[in-house]
Amino acid sequence: MKYVVAPGMKDLIKESPIYRKLETDFINLCLLNNFQEIRTPILESRDLFVRSVGEASDIVEKEMFTCDDLVLRPENTAPIVRAFLTQNLENGRYCYFAPQFRKERPQKGRFRQFYQYGFEMFGDNSPQLEIEGLLLIKSLYTQWKLSDFKIEVNYLGNFEERAKYLEALKDYFKSVYESLSETSKKRYESNTLRILDSKELCDQMLIANAPVINDYLTEESLNKWNKILNLCSLLEIKVEVNPRLVRGLDYYTGLVFEVIDTSGNLGSQKALGGGGRYDQLCADLGGKSIPAFGFAGGVERLILALNLNEEKFIDRQPLVCLITNKPEILPLLVNKKNLEPKLKIDICFSPEMGFKKMFKRADRLQARFVIILAEDELSKNQVKIKDMTSGNEATFKGALSDLDLSSLETLFTS
Ligand code: HAM
């Protein structure tokens, strides 16, 4: 076949009911928690992500699909901040279930088009936002019965504290520069913090001895950090402090976190989701200074972690096929179908086909029952029904309008 789906992208057909269920579960839970659903455009200005996610981030440097000065959005936080600021939206709590695009090397759990479920909350700088957000994630995963995961947290402080930390980190990595991996050497110049994300063995030992951000936090930040940790323990939100967790997006200030899969179902792409506080982003994008906090999880990775099997989601509602060779009685069939909006009904009326082909078609559609309205039955005011599983036939004495299509089995059991 000449035309195949582009690398890292998928046609969702069998998986579609899984996505629909996860979307409904997620959006409904958010609505009950006083969030509003938001759908932003897929195309946004490139500059929006340069200013927010960061010029030197992997996403902006090499992962965006670009079209003139627009890009397919690689994430949804910056677009929601843009919408919040430009549209004067009042209720500052938004949720979404939407596709994102990153030009990454495709592998298990990593795609070029993938879906995220996420939320963003605008408010103040008390730990209210963090705790509300983490509690929402906890109830979401409880609802989905996801148990094999841990939440790693770290506190990045404000931009001044981070600048001081970055200086110390640069000094340290300069002293061990020759032993760093090639990727980390490149990152040293462009984005030193990202060296801490390296999975290369030769970097691991060096990272273990690198300075940690905690030592560069002011008393005010340390107090906030401790408050959050205390509230987490009070509310039984299990978190693990990872002093080297930095995340790959530049807009974070304060708490950052990542949900890590521990089931082993995900291969090397273990991050189920991530998020944190971004108190400067609204001001950086030209709006008022409004503190904010958010999270996004990857749908494809969630499906792997939950081991959701397409089989379990197959639509098992029985299909009833109404077939006739007399197009003039079609209005009768359409009326019947309209009166049963909750049943799965297919109508076939082709005189050219003949009954044999119409039966074959019904079989291909995996019909459970076929209702035959031929000349003979119509003249006798009766309807013939075939059970496609057993091959048995039954006759209903009366008009089609009087036949109860929701309990056809009873015709074969009595
Ligand atoms: P992120 O860590 O870049 O954060 O992405 C969140 C999640 O999306 C990841 O943990 C992963 O599960 C999924 N994901 C990312 N890239 C891919 C990919 N190529 N294929 C499949 N899944 C992927 C954000 O996007 C931030 N906007 C999160 C946030 C919201 N921060 C504050 N508010």
Side-chain angles (χ1 to χ4, degrees):
M1 176 67 192
K2 184 173 169 194
Y3 300 107
V4 291
V5 73
M9 315 241 163
K10 282 203 280 190
D11 297 312
L12 300 175
I13 304 172
K14 282 194 181 148
E15 300 98 323
S16 205
I18 304 182
Y19 279 67
R20 185 156 12 96
K21 178 179 185 325
L22 295 177
E23 174 169 10
T24 310
D25 289 349
F26 176 67
I27 299 293
N28 283 349
L29 184 72
C30 290
L31 295 180
L32 287 174
N33 280 278
N34 197 27
F35 282 78
Q36 250 182 302
E37 189 181 1
I38 185 166
R39 294 174 194 238
T40 58
I42 281 170
L43 285 176
E44 291 278 357
S45 93
R46 181 178 188 278
D47 195 43
L48 175 67
F49 299 103
V50 174
R51 292 292 302 274
S52 54
V53 175
E55 180 117 52
S57 63
D58 283 356
I59 292 180
V60 169
E61 256 195 351
K62 49 187 190 228
E63 293 172 4
M64 292 201 295
F65 288 98
T66 309
C67 168
D68 299 329
D69 53 351
L70 297 176
V71 292
L72 292 177
R73 59 165 186 234
E75 60 104 54
N76 229 1
T77 307
I80 291 171
V81 172
R82 179 202 48 67
F84 178 65
L85 294 174
T86 50
Q87 299 198 21
N88 269 325
L89 298 173
E90 275 169 24
N91 175 6
R93 299 156 67 90
Y94 307 100
C95 60
Y96 55 91
F97 188 102
Q100 317 295 337
F101 305 84
R102 295 185 193 174
K103 209 190 295 165
E104 296 195 76
R105 195 171 46 79
Q107 64 178 89
K108 184 173 181 183
R110 191 162 76 181
F111 302 94
R112 289 183 164 189
Q113 175 170 344
F114 58 97
Y115 283 72
Q116 281 185 341
Y117 53 98
F119 59 81
E120 313 295 340
M121 305 152 86
F122 299 86
D124 58 33
N125 58 15
S126 75
Q128 165 88 27
L129 295 187
E130 282 92 340
I131 294 305
E132 251 196 280
L134 290 170
L135 280 176
L136 181 62
I137 294 169
K138 193 177 159 184
S139 27
L140 183 68
Y141 287 158
T142 307
Q143 175 178 319
W144 280 332
K145 300 191 175 62
L146 183 80
S147 47
D148 296 335
F149 71 91
K150 59 178 178 177
I151 301 178
E152 290 190 351
V153 291
N154 195 17
Y155 199 89
L156 297 185
N158 57 33
F159 285 151
E160 291 85 65
E161 291 160 324
R162 246 213 336 266
K164 282 198 188 124
Y165 172 56
L166 203 59
E167 239 173 75
L169 210 56
K170 280 201 146 185
D171 283 348
Y172 169 75
F173 282 123
K174 195 173 180 183
S175 68
V176 295
Y177 185 82
E178 286 312 321
S179 314
L180 287 173
S181 67
E182 285 312 307
T183 320
S184 291
K185 277 181 183 156
K186 275 189 212 133
R187 281 183 175 164
Y188 179 81
E189 300 303 337
S190 59
N191 195 345
T192 317
L193 267 184
R194 295 280 289 149
I195 298 179
L196 299 179
D197 276 346
S198 167
K199 304 279 178 287
E200 303 261 355
L201 215 58
C202 63
D203 292 331
Q204 290 295 313
M205 277 287 282
L206 304 174
I207 293 170
N209 293 319
V212 288
I213 180 94
N214 230 40
D215 296 337
Y216 297 83
L217 297 178
T218 58
E219 207 172 311
E220 195 189 340
S221 283
L222 281 172
N223 279 340
K224 281 191 194 165
W225 182 204
N226 284 327
K227 234 188 219 168
I228 295 172
L229 290 176
N230 288 337
L231 282 167
C232 282
S233 107
L234 183 73
L235 293 163
E236 295 181 357
I237 305 169
K238 267 199 226 145
V239 292
E240 267 179 39
V241 175
N242 172 356
R244 291 184 176 82
L245 176 70
V246 286
R247 310 259 307 125
L249 306 100
D250 282 1
Y251 47 64
Y252 293 113
T253 51
L255 184 85
V256 286
F257 68 101
E258 234 158 53
V259 184
I260 310 287
D261 170 78
T262 53
S263 73
N265 289 351
L266 264 81
S268 62
Q269 302 301 312
K270 292 186 177 20
L272 282 167
R277 196 173 254 284
Y278 49 94
D279 286 351
Q280 298 281 326
L281 189 54
C282 287
D284 283 351
L285 294 180
K288 277 193 254 167
S289 168
I290 304 170
F293 176 84
F295 162 79
V299 174
E300 291 71 15
R301 295 185 192 177
L302 178 73
I303 292 175
L304 284 173
L306 290 175
N307 212 355
L308 293 181
N309 190 329
E310 293 145 18
E311 286 295 312
K312 284 188 220 150
F313 289 83
I314 289 175
D315 179 4
R316 300 202 190 274
Q317 198 194 347
L319 172 71
V320 178
C321 279
L322 306 181
I323 64 176
T324 182
N325 58 352
K326 292 178 73 66
E328 52 287 16
I329 67 150
L330 208 51
L332 209 76
L333 308 193
V334 173
N335 274 350
K336 183 70 179 165
K337 180 174 162 73
N338 289 343
L339 286 172
E340 304 280 8
K342 296 225 167 101
L343 298 184
K344 217 158 85 179
I345 297 172
D346 169 84
I347 295 177
C348 187
F349 60 94
S350 175
E352 298 82 24
M353 257 189 180
F355 279 107
K356 205 167 162 200
K357 278 199 177 154
M358 284 197 269
F359 266 111
K360 267 201 177 151
R361 176 177 176 278
D363 203 35
R364 254 201 332 273
L365 297 177
Q366 297 181 324
R368 174 76 174 82
F369 296 102
V370 176
I371 297 184
I372 307 117
L373 291 131
E375 183 106 50
D376 195 29
E377 279 76 36
L378 287 169
S379 63
K380 291 185 194 152
N381 195 30
Q382 64 183 33
V383 178
K384 214 196 271 169
I385 303 117
K386 181 167 180 177
D387 180 336
M388 297 295 279
T389 317
S390 63
N392 294 340
E393 287 189 1
T395 302
F396 172 74
K397 300 239 179 274
L400 174 69
S401 53
D402 297 326
L403 178 62
D404 181 1
L405 297 187
S406 61
S407 58
L408 292 171
E409 302 83 34
T410 54
L411 294 173
F412 295 88
T413 48
S414 56

